[in-house]
Amino acid sequence: MAKKGHKYIFVIGGVMSGVGKGIVTASIGNILQAHGYTVNLVKVDPYLNVDAGTMNPTEHGETFVLRSGLETDQDMGNYERFLNRDLPEENYVTSGMVYRNVIERERNLEYDGNCVEAIPHIRNEIVERFEKAASINGSEISVIEIGGTVGDYQNIMFIEAARVMKAHNPDDVLTIMVSYLPIPSKVGEMKTKPTQNAIRQLNSYGVQPDFVIGRSEEIIDERRKGKIAEQCNVRAEHVISAPDIESIYDVPLNFERDNLSGLILSALKLKKKNKAADLKDWKSFVKKVHHPKKEVHIAVVGKYFDTGDFVLSDAYISVIEAIKFSAFSLGAKPTLTWISSHDFENGKRKISELKKYDGVIVPGGFGKTGIAGKLKAIKYIRENKIPYFGLCYGMQLAVVEYAINVLGLKDAATREMNKDATHLVIDIMEEQKAKLKNKEYGGTMRLGEYPAQLKKGTIARAAYGKEVVEERHRHRYEVNPEYVEQLEDVGLVFSGTSPDKRLMEIIELPKAEHPFFLGTQFHPELQARPLAPSPLFTEFVQACLKKEK
Ligand code: GLN
């Protein structure tokens, strides 16, 4: 059971998607937490996928892995970054999970012979999930973001759940619409009509928003706020302006300047626990974002870049943010260059171009394509002593490159690129074999948090400053234990392993050999936070800054 009087805030989008509902939700969580409340952030994805693990990153952006191993939407990453803590898997809900559960229960005769219907059964299953999430971490307030936009067919059941929860407990439920106010270039003025229509559409489901957060290029003036208030039964001071800004990390501070937390708390009949919001650390982080003293240029060599800039930043959002947090903490502003590894294969780019950058990252990835280009890049980076950081696939490919060019195993490979190679230095994990054979793809990788034991005297150990660390994983393949000794003999250091020493978690080259050459089987970017940057990213950026000098 959730705490008595637990409050629910639903965040629902109007007019169009892509206006930053996730950041609004994360920011509301941030400021309420700064007022001393334990806040629970929940993301609803209305699609029928059971989780976000089976979707191509160019379709839906990065898959964010929770500590528990659940593969979720990238918004969960924003939530954790803005709250500076881990979230449990109950805080992620998809239509796929809801329908699957209801259908399984029906098959198990759990509905007493009744006809099973969308209403009440699907809706009630959703309500139960929200209540369950609210009960998990002793939180006092849940902020629940319903994906999609009002008017979508897919999210109706979730809005219906919000309605019925408010009908039962009117004082405990609040609805916030995040809407968009366009300024058409030919007209030259901000228009409120699309927002009015979106609110009416929401009204038609029986839901009245208590707040409207208006996203726009510019600040919404009092006249337009008044118009929305009058036309849509919202209090004028509850129409909040959220204009475009430079950094998403400014959003909580801007909301706080407009006293949004105060307005929300009083609408929920809650007191401010602290006299003022405790945003000291957040403010000093944001100050670093805006006042860097130097620059660092990092290239990311990957392959999910083909659909243009919009998708690109989405597919690697945690990597990008992790670089930023470490760079900002060192007083530097990072500039990222995206290089499709295919360009090194078809001659579109010269490999020597990599010299220009202070450091190079090869992030996670899947499949055969683009591998040749990545291997070529890693060889160049290693030989020319450019700082290198390999994340998951980037680590595995660094091992393959080392096996080919240093150990001299000419056809060394990962099974993923060539299953017939003689030397499979990266191979499928034992427990994964049956899963792949039976085509059990969804949610079956090695997922979530596992410990790694760090070797004394290594870069990894020095960076973390402790012997055992826990990081998040998402992979099916591993360093083949049969090749570990041979690789060590020619200089590769396995600086992190599973506690039973079977699984290789981190590789590196000694500092005397290379200024920074390190790869992780896990994804350190998933735990990087504005207020707690990832130690390995910080070490990498530091090496990049030295090269810059
Ligand atoms: N494709 C590799 C594996 O499954 C790497 C996965 C990743 O980079 N996340 O092991």
Side-chain angles (χ1 to χ4, degrees):
M1 279 280 280
K3 275 198 176 156
K4 205 172 163 304
H6 183 99
K7 306 288 184 181
Y8 296 89
I9 300 171
F10 288 96
V11 178
I12 300 174
V15 179
M16 65 184 204
S17 66
V19 297
K21 212 160 19 100
I23 298 302
V24 167
T25 305
S27 299
I28 290 173
N30 178 300
I31 54 177
L32 293 176
Q33 183 171 278
H35 276 289
Y37 282 93
T38 312
V39 185
N40 189 38
L41 295 180
V42 177
K43 174 76 200 269
V44 166
D45 269 328
Y47 45 63
L48 286 173
N49 301 61
V50 173
D51 59 40
T54 52
M55 278 177 279
N56 188 321
T58 53
E59 279 287 312
H60 192 69
E62 166 191 273
T63 300
F64 187 82
V65 183
L66 299 182
R67 189 174 163 187
S68 74
L70 187 71
E71 298 169 284
T72 71
D73 179 74
Q74 51 176 311
D75 275 325
M76 293 298 284
N78 283 322
Y79 295 177
E80 289 197 350
R81 292 188 278 268
F82 276 70
L83 288 184
N84 197 27
R85 69 180 164 81
D86 299 341
L87 288 172
E89 64 180 19
E90 285 75 8
N91 290 25
Y92 186 61
V93 181
T94 67
S95 293
M97 287 177 194
V98 170
Y99 278 84
R100 182 158 90 168
N101 212 31
V102 168
I103 290 168
E104 272 172 14
R105 283 169 74 175
E106 183 276 324
R107 294 287 82 187
N108 297 341
L109 275 181
E110 285 179 45
Y111 292 107
D112 297 331
N114 282 313
C115 174
V116 180
E117 312 224 47
I119 294 178
H121 300 98
I122 294 290
R123 181 198 64 201
N124 291 357
E125 167 80 21
I126 294 170
V127 172
E128 272 173 41
R129 280 178 183 257
F130 292 159
E131 288 174 346
K132 173 102 189 281
S135 72
I136 295 261
N137 47 9
S139 61
E140 298 153 288
I141 305 172
S142 292
V143 189
I144 302 172
E145 177 190 353
I146 298 181
T149 310
V150 172
D152 290 349
Y153 176 76
Q154 291 92 318
N155 60 17
I156 288 179
M157 280 299 136
F158 294 99
I159 298 176
E160 164 62 12
R163 183 198 66 75
V164 81
M165 286 173 81
K166 178 133 185 159
H168 291 157
N169 292 304
D171 290 340
D172 294 340
V173 179
L174 207 68
T175 306
I176 297 180
M177 173 174 271
V178 180
S179 190
Y180 181 69
L181 289 88
I183 308 175
S185 60
K186 289 281 183 302
V187 184
E189 67 166 301
M190 187 184 287
K191 296 309 241 176
T192 63
K193 189 58 67 60
T195 293
Q196 294 182 37
N197 287 336
I199 295 172
R200 293 211 179 95
Q201 175 115 38
L202 188 60
N203 290 157
S204 75
Y205 300 148
V207 176
Q208 168 65 38
D210 301 285
F211 283 79
V212 175
I213 295 185
R215 287 278 300 109
S216 190
E217 276 167 45
E218 284 165 31
I219 291 174
I220 307 173
D221 59 10
E222 292 310 313
R223 214 181 112 218
R224 284 178 181 77
K225 282 186 179 176
K227 211 163 166 185
I228 294 172
E230 190 183 283
Q231 295 299 320
C232 304
N233 303 319
V234 182
R235 284 168 55 180
E237 65 270 31
H238 283 188
V239 181
I240 308 288
S241 174
D244 288 352
I245 37 166
E246 213 179 297
S247 160
I248 54 170
Y249 300 107
D250 285 325
V251 176
L253 301 180
N254 285 357
F255 279 171
E256 205 42 28
R257 225 164 278 139
D258 290 343
N259 188 31
L260 181 60
S261 59
L263 293 167
I264 289 177
L265 289 174
S266 84
L268 287 169
K269 301 191 174 63
L270 294 174
K271 285 196 189 61
K272 287 185 175 180
K273 290 193 191 177
N274 305 337
K275 218 163 167 200
D278 180 7
L279 286 164
K280 209 173 90 244
D281 295 343
W282 195 264
K283 278 184 185 156
S284 76
F285 160 70
V286 169
K287 209 166 148 192
K288 286 190 193 130
V289 174
H290 291 295
H291 303 284
K293 296 189 183 63
K294 46 199 165 187
E295 276 185 43
V296 60
H297 299 267
I298 293 169
V300 182
V301 178
K303 74 165 178 179
Y304 300 118
F305 303 166
D306 309 298
T307 5
D309 291 32
F310 169 70
V311 169
L312 169 125
S313 52
D314 267 15
Y316 293 108
I317 179 160
S318 291
V319 177
I320 300 172
E321 300 307 293
I323 297 170
K324 284 189 199 164
F325 305 149
S326 286
F328 292 142
S329 79
L330 296 167
K333 175 186 156 45
T335 308
L336 302 184
T337 302
W338 302 90
I339 301 180
S340 172
S341 58
H342 295 294
D343 292 356
F344 295 132
E345 295 167 3
N346 56 27
K348 234 166 136 182
R349 277 177 202 262
K350 280 219 200 81
I351 199 78
S352 59
E353 187 194 307
L354 290 172
K355 247 200 319 252
K356 288 201 317 225
Y357 304 103
D358 302 324
V360 180
I361 288 182
V362 173
F366 294 85
K368 288 190 206 332
T369 61
I371 297 300
K374 288 183 191 171
L375 288 173
K376 212 164 145 185
I378 296 170
K379 178 169 190 278
Y380 186 85
I381 293 159
R382 183 177 55 74
E383 291 177 345
N384 289 277
K385 309 213 184 296
I386 300 161
Y388 175 72
F389 195 10
L391 306 168
C392 204
Y393 216 5
M395 173 266 208
Q396 296 175 353
L397 294 175
V399 173
V400 172
E401 189 278 321
Y402 207 77
I404 297 174
N405 298 311
V406 182
L407 189 56
L409 304 176
K410 288 295 166 244
D411 82 332
T414 156
R415 186 181 286 274
E416 221 174 334
M417 65 191 254
N418 175 13
K419 65 177 182 0
D420 301 317
T422 336
H423 298 291
L424 289 171
V425 292
I426 304 291
D427 206 348
I428 182 94
M429 281 188 276
E430 196 50 44
E431 61 273 26
Q432 289 290 331
K433 285 184 185 159
K435 290 175 188 161
L436 275 196
K437 208 165 148 218
N438 303 332
K439 299 204 160 136
E440 293 165 26
Y441 298 123
T444 59
M445 282 186 251
R446 179 169 179 256
L447 292 166
E449 199 172 271
Y450 288 93
Q453 192 135 14
L454 310 181
K455 207 181 251 169
K456 264 202 185 129
T458 59
I459 299 173
R461 176 80 176 256
Y464 280 106
K466 53 182 173 180
E467 199 189 331
V468 180
V469 295
E470 303 204 302
E471 294 277 9
R472 299 183 192 175
H473 297 71
R474 183 170 189 249
H475 63 118
R476 280 189 211 283
Y477 298 84
E478 62 170 345
V479 175
N480 185 342
E482 284 174 31
Y483 289 91
V484 167
E485 228 181 281
Q486 296 177 56
L487 286 161
E488 278 177 333
D489 288 346
V490 290
L492 195 64
V493 177
F494 293 93
S495 53
T497 63
S498 55
D500 66 5
K501 309 250 184 300
R502 225 205 58 86
L503 203 130
M504 300 303 120
E505 290 278 13
I506 311 178
I507 58 141
E508 61 183 75
L509 288 178
K511 269 223 160 99
E513 298 284 319
H514 195 288
F516 187 95
F517 189 92
L518 189 143
T520 57
Q521 182 56 79
F522 49 79
H523 291 272
E525 69 272 19
L526 298 176
Q527 288 200 91
R529 311 258 166 88
L531 304 185
S534 158
L536 290 179
F537 273 90
T538 305
E539 201 63 28
F540 166 67
V541 174
Q542 200 129 36
C544 296
L545 287 167
K546 275 193 197 137
K547 176 169 185 279
E548 166 91 331
K549 265 194 210 150

